[in-house]
Structure formats: C-alpha cells, structure tokens
Short mmCIF file of all heavy atoms in Angstrom, two decimals:
data_model
loop_
_atom_site.label_atom_id
_atom_site.label_comp_id
_atom_site.label_asym_id
_atom_site.label_seq_id
_atom_site.Cartn_x
_atom_site.Cartn_y
_atom_site.Cartn_z
N MET A 1 -38.23 0.80 -148.66
CA MET A 1 -36.83 1.16 -148.85
C MET A 1 -35.96 0.10 -148.21
O MET A 1 -36.21 -0.33 -147.09
CB MET A 1 -36.58 2.53 -148.23
CG MET A 1 -35.20 3.06 -148.49
SD MET A 1 -35.02 4.78 -147.98
CE MET A 1 -36.05 5.60 -149.18
N ALA A 2 -34.95 -0.32 -148.92
CA ALA A 2 -34.04 -1.33 -148.38
C ALA A 2 -33.31 -0.78 -147.16
O ALA A 2 -32.96 0.40 -147.12
CB ALA A 2 -33.04 -1.75 -149.45
N LEU A 3 -33.11 -1.62 -146.18
CA LEU A 3 -32.45 -1.21 -144.94
C LEU A 3 -31.14 -1.95 -144.77
O LEU A 3 -30.96 -3.04 -145.32
CB LEU A 3 -33.35 -1.53 -143.74
CG LEU A 3 -34.77 -0.97 -143.78
CD1 LEU A 3 -35.56 -1.48 -142.56
CD2 LEU A 3 -34.76 0.54 -143.80
N TYR A 4 -30.25 -1.39 -144.00
CA TYR A 4 -29.03 -2.11 -143.62
C TYR A 4 -28.64 -1.66 -142.22
O TYR A 4 -29.08 -0.60 -141.74
CB TYR A 4 -27.90 -1.87 -144.62
CG TYR A 4 -27.37 -0.45 -144.65
CD1 TYR A 4 -26.30 -0.07 -143.85
CD2 TYR A 4 -27.95 0.50 -145.47
CE1 TYR A 4 -25.82 1.22 -143.87
CE2 TYR A 4 -27.49 1.81 -145.49
CZ TYR A 4 -26.42 2.16 -144.70
OH TYR A 4 -25.94 3.45 -144.71
N LYS A 5 -27.86 -2.45 -141.55
CA LYS A 5 -27.40 -2.10 -140.20
C LYS A 5 -25.93 -1.74 -140.18
O LYS A 5 -25.53 -0.74 -139.62
CB LYS A 5 -27.66 -3.28 -139.24
CG LYS A 5 -27.28 -2.95 -137.80
CD LYS A 5 -27.72 -4.06 -136.86
CE LYS A 5 -27.44 -3.66 -135.42
NZ LYS A 5 -27.88 -4.72 -134.49
N ASN A 6 -25.13 -2.56 -140.85
CA ASN A 6 -23.68 -2.40 -140.76
C ASN A 6 -23.14 -1.69 -142.00
O ASN A 6 -23.01 -2.29 -143.06
CB ASN A 6 -23.06 -3.79 -140.59
CG ASN A 6 -21.57 -3.72 -140.40
OD1 ASN A 6 -20.95 -2.66 -140.52
ND2 ASN A 6 -20.98 -4.87 -140.10
N SER A 7 -22.78 -0.43 -141.87
CA SER A 7 -22.30 0.34 -143.02
C SER A 7 -20.93 -0.14 -143.52
O SER A 7 -20.48 0.27 -144.57
CB SER A 7 -22.25 1.83 -142.68
OG SER A 7 -21.32 2.06 -141.64
N GLN A 8 -20.29 -1.01 -142.77
CA GLN A 8 -18.99 -1.53 -143.19
C GLN A 8 -19.12 -2.52 -144.36
O GLN A 8 -18.14 -2.83 -145.02
CB GLN A 8 -18.32 -2.28 -142.02
CG GLN A 8 -18.22 -1.50 -140.74
CD GLN A 8 -17.13 -0.47 -140.78
OE1 GLN A 8 -16.00 -0.78 -141.11
NE2 GLN A 8 -17.46 0.76 -140.44
N VAL A 9 -20.34 -3.03 -144.56
CA VAL A 9 -20.51 -4.08 -145.56
C VAL A 9 -21.32 -3.62 -146.78
O VAL A 9 -21.69 -4.44 -147.62
CB VAL A 9 -21.14 -5.36 -144.95
CG1 VAL A 9 -20.25 -5.93 -143.86
CG2 VAL A 9 -22.53 -5.07 -144.40
N VAL A 10 -21.59 -2.32 -146.88
CA VAL A 10 -22.24 -1.77 -148.07
C VAL A 10 -21.41 -0.58 -148.55
O VAL A 10 -20.71 0.06 -147.76
CB VAL A 10 -23.71 -1.33 -147.81
CG1 VAL A 10 -24.62 -2.53 -147.58
CG2 VAL A 10 -23.78 -0.36 -146.67
N LYS A 11 -21.49 -0.32 -149.84
CA LYS A 11 -20.68 0.75 -150.42
C LYS A 11 -21.47 1.45 -151.51
O LYS A 11 -22.15 0.78 -152.29
CB LYS A 11 -19.40 0.12 -150.99
CG LYS A 11 -18.38 1.09 -151.50
CD LYS A 11 -17.09 0.33 -151.80
CE LYS A 11 -16.69 0.51 -153.23
NZ LYS A 11 -15.49 -0.25 -153.58
N HIS A 12 -21.37 2.76 -151.58
CA HIS A 12 -22.04 3.51 -152.65
C HIS A 12 -21.43 3.17 -154.00
O HIS A 12 -20.22 2.94 -154.11
CB HIS A 12 -21.91 5.02 -152.40
CG HIS A 12 -22.53 5.82 -153.49
ND1 HIS A 12 -23.88 6.04 -153.58
CD2 HIS A 12 -21.98 6.42 -154.58
CE1 HIS A 12 -24.14 6.74 -154.66
NE2 HIS A 12 -23.00 6.99 -155.29
N SER A 13 -22.27 3.13 -155.03
CA SER A 13 -21.79 2.89 -156.39
C SER A 13 -22.64 3.67 -157.37
O SER A 13 -23.86 3.77 -157.21
CB SER A 13 -21.90 1.40 -156.71
OG SER A 13 -21.68 1.18 -158.10
N ASP A 14 -22.00 4.21 -158.40
CA ASP A 14 -22.71 4.89 -159.49
C ASP A 14 -22.82 4.00 -160.72
O ASP A 14 -23.02 4.48 -161.83
CB ASP A 14 -22.00 6.20 -159.86
CG ASP A 14 -22.19 7.27 -158.80
OD1 ASP A 14 -23.30 7.36 -158.23
OD2 ASP A 14 -21.23 8.02 -158.54
N HIS A 15 -22.68 2.70 -160.54
CA HIS A 15 -22.73 1.75 -161.66
C HIS A 15 -24.02 1.93 -162.47
O HIS A 15 -25.10 2.14 -161.90
CB HIS A 15 -22.67 0.33 -161.10
CG HIS A 15 -22.31 -0.70 -162.12
ND1 HIS A 15 -23.20 -1.12 -163.09
CD2 HIS A 15 -21.17 -1.38 -162.34
CE1 HIS A 15 -22.62 -2.03 -163.85
NE2 HIS A 15 -21.38 -2.21 -163.41
N ALA A 16 -23.90 1.86 -163.79
CA ALA A 16 -25.05 2.05 -164.68
C ALA A 16 -26.15 1.01 -164.46
O ALA A 16 -27.31 1.27 -164.81
CB ALA A 16 -24.57 2.01 -166.13
N ALA A 17 -25.81 -0.12 -163.88
CA ALA A 17 -26.83 -1.16 -163.64
C ALA A 17 -27.95 -0.65 -162.73
O ALA A 17 -29.07 -1.15 -162.80
CB ALA A 17 -26.18 -2.39 -163.01
N PHE A 18 -27.66 0.36 -161.92
CA PHE A 18 -28.68 0.91 -161.03
C PHE A 18 -29.68 1.80 -161.76
O PHE A 18 -30.74 2.12 -161.23
CB PHE A 18 -28.04 1.70 -159.88
CG PHE A 18 -27.27 0.84 -158.92
CD1 PHE A 18 -25.88 0.81 -158.96
CD2 PHE A 18 -27.93 0.07 -157.97
CE1 PHE A 18 -25.17 0.01 -158.08
CE2 PHE A 18 -27.23 -0.72 -157.08
CZ PHE A 18 -25.84 -0.75 -157.14
N ASP A 19 -29.33 2.24 -162.97
CA ASP A 19 -30.20 3.17 -163.73
C ASP A 19 -31.21 2.44 -164.59
O ASP A 19 -32.22 3.03 -164.98
CB ASP A 19 -29.34 4.07 -164.63
CG ASP A 19 -28.35 4.89 -163.83
OD1 ASP A 19 -28.68 5.28 -162.70
OD2 ASP A 19 -27.23 5.12 -164.34
N ALA A 20 -30.94 1.19 -164.92
CA ALA A 20 -31.80 0.45 -165.85
C ALA A 20 -33.15 0.12 -165.21
O ALA A 20 -33.22 -0.24 -164.03
CB ALA A 20 -31.10 -0.83 -166.28
N ILE A 21 -34.21 0.27 -166.01
CA ILE A 21 -35.56 -0.11 -165.59
C ILE A 21 -35.92 -1.37 -166.39
O ILE A 21 -35.78 -1.39 -167.62
CB ILE A 21 -36.58 1.01 -165.91
CG1 ILE A 21 -36.14 2.34 -165.31
CG2 ILE A 21 -37.98 0.60 -165.42
CD1 ILE A 21 -36.08 2.37 -163.80
N HIS A 22 -36.34 -2.43 -165.68
CA HIS A 22 -36.58 -3.72 -166.32
C HIS A 22 -38.06 -4.08 -166.33
O HIS A 22 -38.75 -3.89 -165.32
CB HIS A 22 -35.81 -4.82 -165.59
CG HIS A 22 -34.35 -4.53 -165.46
ND1 HIS A 22 -33.47 -4.68 -166.51
CD2 HIS A 22 -33.63 -4.07 -164.41
CE1 HIS A 22 -32.25 -4.33 -166.10
NE2 HIS A 22 -32.31 -3.96 -164.85
N ASN A 23 -38.49 -4.61 -167.45
CA ASN A 23 -39.84 -5.14 -167.53
C ASN A 23 -39.93 -6.45 -166.75
O ASN A 23 -38.93 -7.18 -166.66
CB ASN A 23 -40.23 -5.40 -168.99
CG ASN A 23 -40.49 -4.11 -169.73
OD1 ASN A 23 -41.09 -3.18 -169.19
ND2 ASN A 23 -40.03 -4.05 -170.97
N PRO A 24 -41.09 -6.77 -166.21
CA PRO A 24 -41.26 -8.06 -165.56
C PRO A 24 -41.18 -9.18 -166.59
O PRO A 24 -41.40 -8.96 -167.78
CB PRO A 24 -42.66 -7.96 -164.95
CG PRO A 24 -43.35 -6.93 -165.76
CD PRO A 24 -42.31 -5.96 -166.22
N GLY A 25 -40.83 -10.37 -166.14
CA GLY A 25 -40.81 -11.53 -167.02
C GLY A 25 -39.48 -11.76 -167.71
O GLY A 25 -39.32 -12.75 -168.42
N ILE A 26 -38.52 -10.87 -167.52
CA ILE A 26 -37.18 -11.09 -168.08
C ILE A 26 -36.25 -11.60 -166.98
O ILE A 26 -36.54 -11.48 -165.79
CB ILE A 26 -36.59 -9.82 -168.73
CG1 ILE A 26 -36.30 -8.75 -167.67
CG2 ILE A 26 -37.51 -9.27 -169.81
CD1 ILE A 26 -35.19 -7.80 -168.08
N ALA A 27 -35.10 -12.13 -167.40
CA ALA A 27 -34.12 -12.62 -166.44
C ALA A 27 -33.44 -11.43 -165.76
O ALA A 27 -33.01 -10.49 -166.43
CB ALA A 27 -33.08 -13.48 -167.14
N ALA A 28 -33.33 -11.50 -164.44
CA ALA A 28 -32.61 -10.45 -163.71
C ALA A 28 -31.16 -10.43 -164.19
O ALA A 28 -30.48 -11.46 -164.14
CB ALA A 28 -32.68 -10.70 -162.21
N PRO A 29 -30.66 -9.28 -164.64
CA PRO A 29 -29.30 -9.23 -165.17
C PRO A 29 -28.23 -9.36 -164.08
O PRO A 29 -27.08 -9.73 -164.38
CB PRO A 29 -29.22 -7.87 -165.87
CG PRO A 29 -30.31 -7.05 -165.26
CD PRO A 29 -31.38 -8.01 -164.82
N ASP A 30 -28.59 -9.06 -162.84
CA ASP A 30 -27.65 -9.16 -161.73
C ASP A 30 -28.41 -9.63 -160.50
O ASP A 30 -29.61 -9.38 -160.37
CB ASP A 30 -27.02 -7.79 -161.43
CG ASP A 30 -26.19 -7.27 -162.59
OD1 ASP A 30 -25.14 -7.87 -162.88
OD2 ASP A 30 -26.62 -6.29 -163.23
N ALA A 31 -27.70 -10.25 -159.58
CA ALA A 31 -28.31 -10.64 -158.30
C ALA A 31 -28.42 -9.42 -157.41
O ALA A 31 -27.54 -8.56 -157.41
CB ALA A 31 -27.44 -11.69 -157.62
N GLY A 32 -29.50 -9.33 -156.65
CA GLY A 32 -29.61 -8.22 -155.72
C GLY A 32 -31.02 -7.97 -155.28
O GLY A 32 -31.89 -8.84 -155.37
N ILE A 33 -31.24 -6.76 -154.79
CA ILE A 33 -32.57 -6.31 -154.39
C ILE A 33 -33.10 -5.42 -155.50
O ILE A 33 -32.40 -4.51 -155.96
CB ILE A 33 -32.51 -5.53 -153.06
CG1 ILE A 33 -32.01 -6.43 -151.93
CG2 ILE A 33 -33.89 -4.95 -152.71
CD1 ILE A 33 -31.73 -5.69 -150.63
N TYR A 34 -34.31 -5.70 -155.92
CA TYR A 34 -34.98 -4.90 -156.94
C TYR A 34 -36.25 -4.31 -156.34
O TYR A 34 -36.88 -4.91 -155.48
CB TYR A 34 -35.34 -5.75 -158.17
CG TYR A 34 -34.17 -6.13 -159.02
CD1 TYR A 34 -33.23 -7.06 -158.57
CD2 TYR A 34 -33.99 -5.57 -160.27
CE1 TYR A 34 -32.14 -7.41 -159.35
CE2 TYR A 34 -32.90 -5.93 -161.07
CZ TYR A 34 -31.98 -6.84 -160.61
OH TYR A 34 -30.90 -7.19 -161.39
N ARG A 35 -36.61 -3.14 -156.85
CA ARG A 35 -37.77 -2.40 -156.34
C ARG A 35 -38.73 -2.14 -157.49
O ARG A 35 -38.30 -1.74 -158.58
CB ARG A 35 -37.25 -1.09 -155.75
CG ARG A 35 -38.26 -0.10 -155.30
CD ARG A 35 -37.50 1.13 -154.75
NE ARG A 35 -38.41 2.19 -154.40
CZ ARG A 35 -38.83 3.12 -155.25
NH1 ARG A 35 -38.39 3.13 -156.50
NH2 ARG A 35 -39.68 4.04 -154.87
N CYS A 36 -40.02 -2.36 -157.26
CA CYS A 36 -41.04 -1.98 -158.23
C CYS A 36 -41.16 -0.46 -158.17
O CYS A 36 -41.51 0.10 -157.13
CB CYS A 36 -42.38 -2.64 -157.91
SG CYS A 36 -43.73 -2.13 -159.00
N ILE A 37 -40.84 0.22 -159.29
CA ILE A 37 -40.77 1.68 -159.24
C ILE A 37 -42.15 2.32 -159.10
O ILE A 37 -42.25 3.50 -158.78
CB ILE A 37 -40.04 2.28 -160.45
CG1 ILE A 37 -40.78 1.98 -161.76
CG2 ILE A 37 -38.61 1.78 -160.51
CD1 ILE A 37 -40.25 2.75 -162.95
N ASN A 38 -43.20 1.56 -159.34
CA ASN A 38 -44.54 2.14 -159.25
C ASN A 38 -45.24 1.91 -157.93
O ASN A 38 -46.32 2.45 -157.71
CB ASN A 38 -45.39 1.64 -160.42
CG ASN A 38 -44.94 2.27 -161.72
OD1 ASN A 38 -44.55 3.43 -161.74
ND2 ASN A 38 -44.94 1.51 -162.80
N CYS A 39 -44.68 1.10 -157.04
CA CYS A 39 -45.32 0.91 -155.73
C CYS A 39 -44.32 0.67 -154.60
O CYS A 39 -44.73 0.50 -153.46
CB CYS A 39 -46.35 -0.22 -155.79
SG CYS A 39 -45.64 -1.87 -155.76
N SER A 40 -43.01 0.63 -154.92
CA SER A 40 -41.94 0.50 -153.92
C SER A 40 -41.79 -0.88 -153.30
O SER A 40 -41.00 -1.05 -152.37
CB SER A 40 -42.09 1.53 -152.79
OG SER A 40 -42.12 2.83 -153.32
N HIS A 41 -42.54 -1.89 -153.80
CA HIS A 41 -42.36 -3.26 -153.30
C HIS A 41 -40.95 -3.73 -153.67
O HIS A 41 -40.48 -3.49 -154.79
CB HIS A 41 -43.41 -4.16 -153.96
CG HIS A 41 -43.37 -5.57 -153.50
ND1 HIS A 41 -43.98 -6.00 -152.35
CD2 HIS A 41 -42.78 -6.68 -154.05
CE1 HIS A 41 -43.79 -7.30 -152.20
NE2 HIS A 41 -43.06 -7.74 -153.22
N GLU A 42 -40.27 -4.40 -152.75
CA GLU A 42 -38.91 -4.86 -153.00
C GLU A 42 -38.83 -6.39 -152.97
O GLU A 42 -39.55 -7.03 -152.22
CB GLU A 42 -37.95 -4.29 -151.96
CG GLU A 42 -37.80 -2.79 -152.06
CD GLU A 42 -36.97 -2.18 -150.95
OE1 GLU A 42 -36.75 -2.84 -149.91
OE2 GLU A 42 -36.55 -1.04 -151.13
N ILE A 43 -37.93 -6.91 -153.79
CA ILE A 43 -37.69 -8.35 -153.82
C ILE A 43 -36.18 -8.59 -153.83
O ILE A 43 -35.41 -7.73 -154.27
CB ILE A 43 -38.30 -9.02 -155.08
CG1 ILE A 43 -37.71 -8.42 -156.36
CG2 ILE A 43 -39.82 -8.90 -155.07
CD1 ILE A 43 -37.99 -9.22 -157.61
N GLY A 44 -35.76 -9.76 -153.36
CA GLY A 44 -34.40 -10.23 -153.56
C GLY A 44 -34.44 -11.29 -154.64
O GLY A 44 -35.37 -12.12 -154.67
N ILE A 45 -33.46 -11.26 -155.56
CA ILE A 45 -33.52 -12.22 -156.67
C ILE A 45 -32.10 -12.60 -157.10
O ILE A 45 -31.17 -11.79 -157.02
CB ILE A 45 -34.34 -11.62 -157.84
CG1 ILE A 45 -34.69 -12.70 -158.88
CG2 ILE A 45 -33.63 -10.45 -158.48
CD1 ILE A 45 -35.79 -12.27 -159.85
N ALA A 46 -31.96 -13.83 -157.54
CA ALA A 46 -30.68 -14.32 -158.05
C ALA A 46 -30.54 -13.92 -159.52
O ALA A 46 -31.52 -13.77 -160.24
CB ALA A 46 -30.62 -15.84 -157.93
N LYS A 47 -29.29 -13.75 -159.96
CA LYS A 47 -29.02 -13.45 -161.36
C LYS A 47 -29.64 -14.53 -162.24
O LYS A 47 -29.48 -15.72 -161.96
CB LYS A 47 -27.51 -13.39 -161.58
CG LYS A 47 -27.11 -13.07 -163.01
CD LYS A 47 -25.60 -12.95 -163.12
CE LYS A 47 -25.22 -12.59 -164.56
NZ LYS A 47 -23.78 -12.28 -164.66
N GLY A 48 -30.35 -14.12 -163.28
CA GLY A 48 -30.92 -15.07 -164.22
C GLY A 48 -32.31 -15.55 -163.86
O GLY A 48 -32.98 -16.14 -164.70
N HIS A 49 -32.74 -15.30 -162.65
CA HIS A 49 -34.11 -15.66 -162.28
C HIS A 49 -35.08 -14.61 -162.85
O HIS A 49 -34.71 -13.46 -163.03
CB HIS A 49 -34.26 -15.77 -160.77
CG HIS A 49 -33.62 -17.01 -160.21
ND1 HIS A 49 -34.05 -17.61 -159.05
CD2 HIS A 49 -32.60 -17.77 -160.66
CE1 HIS A 49 -33.32 -18.69 -158.81
NE2 HIS A 49 -32.42 -18.79 -159.78
N THR A 50 -36.30 -15.05 -163.09
CA THR A 50 -37.27 -14.18 -163.77
C THR A 50 -37.81 -13.10 -162.84
O THR A 50 -38.32 -13.40 -161.76
CB THR A 50 -38.45 -15.04 -164.29
OG1 THR A 50 -37.91 -16.05 -165.15
CG2 THR A 50 -39.45 -14.19 -165.05
N LEU A 51 -37.69 -11.85 -163.28
CA LEU A 51 -38.29 -10.75 -162.52
C LEU A 51 -39.80 -10.93 -162.54
O LEU A 51 -40.40 -11.09 -163.61
CB LEU A 51 -37.89 -9.40 -163.13
CG LEU A 51 -36.41 -9.03 -162.93
CD1 LEU A 51 -36.01 -7.87 -163.83
CD2 LEU A 51 -36.12 -8.70 -161.48
N PRO A 52 -40.44 -10.94 -161.38
CA PRO A 52 -41.85 -11.34 -161.28
C PRO A 52 -42.79 -10.46 -162.13
O PRO A 52 -42.69 -9.24 -162.11
CB PRO A 52 -42.18 -11.17 -159.80
CG PRO A 52 -40.86 -11.22 -159.11
CD PRO A 52 -39.87 -10.65 -160.06
N PRO A 53 -43.72 -11.11 -162.86
CA PRO A 53 -44.71 -10.38 -163.64
C PRO A 53 -45.84 -9.84 -162.78
O PRO A 53 -46.66 -9.05 -163.25
CB PRO A 53 -45.23 -11.43 -164.62
CG PRO A 53 -44.99 -12.74 -163.96
CD PRO A 53 -43.77 -12.56 -163.09
N GLN A 54 -45.89 -10.28 -161.52
CA GLN A 54 -46.89 -9.74 -160.59
C GLN A 54 -46.33 -9.89 -159.19
O GLN A 54 -45.37 -10.64 -158.97
CB GLN A 54 -48.21 -10.48 -160.72
CG GLN A 54 -48.11 -11.97 -160.66
CD GLN A 54 -49.43 -12.62 -161.04
OE1 GLN A 54 -50.39 -12.52 -160.31
NE2 GLN A 54 -49.46 -13.31 -162.18
N HIS A 55 -46.88 -9.15 -158.25
CA HIS A 55 -46.48 -9.31 -156.86
C HIS A 55 -47.62 -8.83 -155.97
O HIS A 55 -48.53 -8.13 -156.41
CB HIS A 55 -45.17 -8.57 -156.56
CG HIS A 55 -45.28 -7.08 -156.62
ND1 HIS A 55 -45.87 -6.33 -155.64
CD2 HIS A 55 -44.89 -6.19 -157.56
CE1 HIS A 55 -45.83 -5.06 -155.96
NE2 HIS A 55 -45.24 -4.94 -157.14
N GLN A 56 -47.57 -9.20 -154.70
CA GLN A 56 -48.63 -8.86 -153.74
C GLN A 56 -48.83 -7.37 -153.63
O GLN A 56 -47.86 -6.60 -153.60
CB GLN A 56 -48.21 -9.35 -152.36
CG GLN A 56 -48.83 -10.66 -151.96
CD GLN A 56 -48.50 -10.97 -150.51
OE1 GLN A 56 -47.44 -10.66 -150.03
NE2 GLN A 56 -49.44 -11.60 -149.83
N ASN A 57 -50.08 -6.97 -153.55
CA ASN A 57 -50.47 -5.59 -153.22
C ASN A 57 -50.07 -4.55 -154.27
O ASN A 57 -50.02 -3.36 -153.98
CB ASN A 57 -49.92 -5.17 -151.85
CG ASN A 57 -50.44 -6.07 -150.75
OD1 ASN A 57 -51.58 -6.53 -150.79
ND2 ASN A 57 -49.60 -6.36 -149.77
N HIS A 58 -49.76 -4.98 -155.49
CA HIS A 58 -49.49 -4.00 -156.55
C HIS A 58 -50.82 -3.43 -157.03
O HIS A 58 -51.77 -4.17 -157.24
CB HIS A 58 -48.75 -4.67 -157.72
CG HIS A 58 -48.36 -3.69 -158.78
ND1 HIS A 58 -47.24 -2.89 -158.68
CD2 HIS A 58 -48.95 -3.37 -159.95
CE1 HIS A 58 -47.17 -2.12 -159.76
NE2 HIS A 58 -48.20 -2.39 -160.55
N PRO A 59 -50.92 -2.11 -157.19
CA PRO A 59 -52.20 -1.51 -157.59
C PRO A 59 -52.63 -1.96 -159.00
O PRO A 59 -51.80 -2.07 -159.90
CB PRO A 59 -51.93 0.00 -157.55
CG PRO A 59 -50.45 0.15 -157.49
CD PRO A 59 -49.88 -1.13 -156.95
N ASP A 60 -53.92 -2.21 -159.14
CA ASP A 60 -54.47 -2.62 -160.44
C ASP A 60 -54.27 -1.52 -161.48
O ASP A 60 -54.34 -0.33 -161.16
CB ASP A 60 -55.97 -2.89 -160.31
CG ASP A 60 -56.27 -4.16 -159.52
OD1 ASP A 60 -55.38 -5.04 -159.46
OD2 ASP A 60 -57.38 -4.27 -158.98
N GLY A 61 -54.04 -1.93 -162.71
CA GLY A 61 -53.97 -0.98 -163.81
C GLY A 61 -52.68 -0.19 -163.91
O GLY A 61 -52.57 0.74 -164.70
N VAL A 62 -51.69 -0.56 -163.10
CA VAL A 62 -50.40 0.14 -163.12
C VAL A 62 -49.33 -0.88 -163.50
O VAL A 62 -49.33 -2.00 -163.00
CB VAL A 62 -50.07 0.75 -161.73
CG1 VAL A 62 -48.74 1.46 -161.75
CG2 VAL A 62 -51.19 1.68 -161.28
N ALA A 63 -48.43 -0.50 -164.39
CA ALA A 63 -47.39 -1.42 -164.85
C ALA A 63 -46.40 -1.73 -163.73
O ALA A 63 -46.10 -0.87 -162.90
CB ALA A 63 -46.64 -0.81 -166.03
N ILE A 64 -45.91 -2.96 -163.73
CA ILE A 64 -44.81 -3.33 -162.84
C ILE A 64 -43.50 -3.10 -163.60
O ILE A 64 -43.34 -3.56 -164.74
CB ILE A 64 -44.93 -4.80 -162.41
CG1 ILE A 64 -46.16 -4.97 -161.50
CG2 ILE A 64 -43.67 -5.28 -161.71
CD1 ILE A 64 -46.43 -6.40 -161.09
N LYS A 65 -42.59 -2.37 -163.00
CA LYS A 65 -41.26 -2.12 -163.57
C LYS A 65 -40.26 -2.30 -162.44
O LYS A 65 -40.48 -1.81 -161.33
CB LYS A 65 -41.15 -0.69 -164.12
CG LYS A 65 -42.12 -0.35 -165.23
CD LYS A 65 -41.65 -0.89 -166.55
CE LYS A 65 -42.58 -0.45 -167.69
NZ LYS A 65 -42.12 -0.96 -168.98
N TRP A 66 -39.17 -2.97 -162.73
CA TRP A 66 -38.17 -3.27 -161.69
C TRP A 66 -36.89 -2.47 -161.89
O TRP A 66 -36.40 -2.33 -163.00
CB TRP A 66 -37.84 -4.77 -161.72
CG TRP A 66 -39.01 -5.65 -161.41
CD1 TRP A 66 -39.73 -6.41 -162.29
CD2 TRP A 66 -39.61 -5.85 -160.13
NE1 TRP A 66 -40.74 -7.08 -161.63
CE2 TRP A 66 -40.69 -6.75 -160.30
CE3 TRP A 66 -39.34 -5.36 -158.86
CZ2 TRP A 66 -41.49 -7.17 -159.24
CZ3 TRP A 66 -40.15 -5.78 -157.80
CH2 TRP A 66 -41.20 -6.68 -158.00
N GLN A 67 -36.36 -1.99 -160.77
CA GLN A 67 -35.07 -1.28 -160.78
C GLN A 67 -34.22 -1.83 -159.64
O GLN A 67 -34.71 -1.98 -158.51
CB GLN A 67 -35.29 0.23 -160.60
CG GLN A 67 -34.02 1.04 -160.70
CD GLN A 67 -34.28 2.54 -160.69
OE1 GLN A 67 -35.29 3.01 -160.15
NE2 GLN A 67 -33.39 3.29 -161.28
N MET A 68 -32.96 -2.10 -159.91
CA MET A 68 -32.08 -2.65 -158.89
C MET A 68 -31.69 -1.56 -157.87
O MET A 68 -31.34 -0.44 -158.26
CB MET A 68 -30.82 -3.23 -159.53
CG MET A 68 -29.95 -3.97 -158.54
SD MET A 68 -28.60 -4.86 -159.31
CE MET A 68 -27.62 -3.48 -159.87
N VAL A 69 -31.79 -1.88 -156.60
CA VAL A 69 -31.40 -0.93 -155.56
C VAL A 69 -30.17 -1.40 -154.77
O VAL A 69 -29.53 -0.58 -154.11
CB VAL A 69 -32.55 -0.61 -154.58
CG1 VAL A 69 -33.71 0.03 -155.31
CG2 VAL A 69 -33.03 -1.84 -153.84
N ALA A 70 -29.87 -2.68 -154.81
CA ALA A 70 -28.66 -3.20 -154.15
C ALA A 70 -28.13 -4.35 -154.97
O ALA A 70 -28.87 -5.22 -155.42
CB ALA A 70 -28.98 -3.66 -152.73
N PHE A 71 -26.84 -4.33 -155.21
CA PHE A 71 -26.14 -5.26 -156.09
C PHE A 71 -25.44 -6.29 -155.20
O PHE A 71 -24.57 -5.93 -154.41
CB PHE A 71 -25.10 -4.43 -156.85
CG PHE A 71 -24.58 -4.98 -158.11
CD1 PHE A 71 -24.34 -4.10 -159.17
CD2 PHE A 71 -24.27 -6.31 -158.29
CE1 PHE A 71 -23.82 -4.55 -160.37
CE2 PHE A 71 -23.76 -6.77 -159.49
CZ PHE A 71 -23.53 -5.89 -160.52
N ALA A 72 -25.83 -7.56 -155.29
CA ALA A 72 -25.15 -8.60 -154.51
C ALA A 72 -23.87 -9.02 -155.23
O ALA A 72 -23.90 -9.40 -156.40
CB ALA A 72 -26.07 -9.82 -154.35
N GLN A 73 -22.77 -8.88 -154.57
CA GLN A 73 -21.48 -9.22 -155.18
C GLN A 73 -21.04 -10.60 -154.73
O GLN A 73 -21.05 -10.91 -153.54
CB GLN A 73 -20.43 -8.17 -154.81
CG GLN A 73 -20.78 -6.81 -155.38
CD GLN A 73 -19.61 -5.89 -155.33
OE1 GLN A 73 -19.16 -5.50 -154.28
NE2 GLN A 73 -19.11 -5.55 -156.50
N HIS A 74 -20.67 -11.42 -155.71
CA HIS A 74 -20.23 -12.78 -155.42
C HIS A 74 -18.71 -12.85 -155.51
O HIS A 74 -18.12 -12.25 -156.37
CB HIS A 74 -20.86 -13.76 -156.43
CG HIS A 74 -22.36 -13.71 -156.45
ND1 HIS A 74 -23.13 -13.79 -155.32
CD2 HIS A 74 -23.23 -13.57 -157.48
CE1 HIS A 74 -24.39 -13.73 -155.65
NE2 HIS A 74 -24.49 -13.59 -156.96
N LYS A 75 -18.13 -13.62 -154.61
CA LYS A 75 -16.67 -13.79 -154.65
C LYS A 75 -16.31 -15.16 -155.18
O LYS A 75 -17.06 -16.08 -155.06
CB LYS A 75 -16.09 -13.62 -153.25
CG LYS A 75 -16.27 -12.19 -152.78
CD LYS A 75 -15.11 -11.80 -151.91
CE LYS A 75 -15.13 -10.30 -151.69
NZ LYS A 75 -13.88 -9.83 -151.19
ZN1 ZN B 101 -45.49 -2.91 -157.70
#
C-alpha cells in the first residue's frame, strides 16, 4: 500500500483514471504510482512509459494488471 507522511500534499480524488485497469506493455496514461491488482506490487512510472509486463515476485500463472493509486500532478 502506498504510504505518505504529510497529508498537506495529498488530496482525495474520485477521478475516473483511478478506476481503469491497464494491461502490461502499454504506455502509462498518467504519471504516478501504479499497483498490480493481483499481488499488490507497486511501481512509480512516468506518463508514456511502458507499464511493466513482468515484475519481481509476481506469482506464476497469474495475470499482471495495473491500476493507478496515486496521480502525480505536474505544474
Ligand atoms: Zn503482480
């Protein structure tokens, strides 16, 4: 689970981008933290970078699917 210390710099959002489930191997639609929904592994990724088709300690025979848990906002 993603952690934070300073609640002044994070904000709740119901943005639809948090609901989308992404296949590995596609470009991340937004920068942020993504979580593998089948094993809870988290990654940080830049917008447009490829969501990893594999990652450490993912159980064999289970699909990797990515869901965004934190949206990095650029100014
Ligand atoms: Zn996984």
Side-chain angles (χ1 to χ4, degrees):
M1 186 171 291
L3 305 176
Y4 67 92
K5 183 172 185 179
N6 184 352
S7 63
Q8 308 283 309
V9 298
V10 290
K11 186 170 123 183
H12 178 79
S13 169
D14 287 322
H15 197 286
F18 292 103
D19 301 326
I21 307 295
H22 306 284
N23 287 320
I26 67 154
D30 296 292
I33 298 171
Y34 287 71
R35 173 180 175 272
C36 176
I37 63 169
N38 288 324
C39 77
S40 303
H41 182 83
E42 293 174 343
I43 60 166
I45 193 165
K47 180 177 182 172
H49 286 207
T50 303
L51 290 166
Q54 50 190 291
H55 68 76
Q56 261 187 325
N57 300 325
H58 184 81
D60 289 337
V62 180
I64 292 176
K65 299 280 184 179
W66 297 106
Q67 184 173 26
M68 188 172 68
V69 298
F71 201 142
Q73 295 195 294
H74 303 310
K75 294 214 167 196

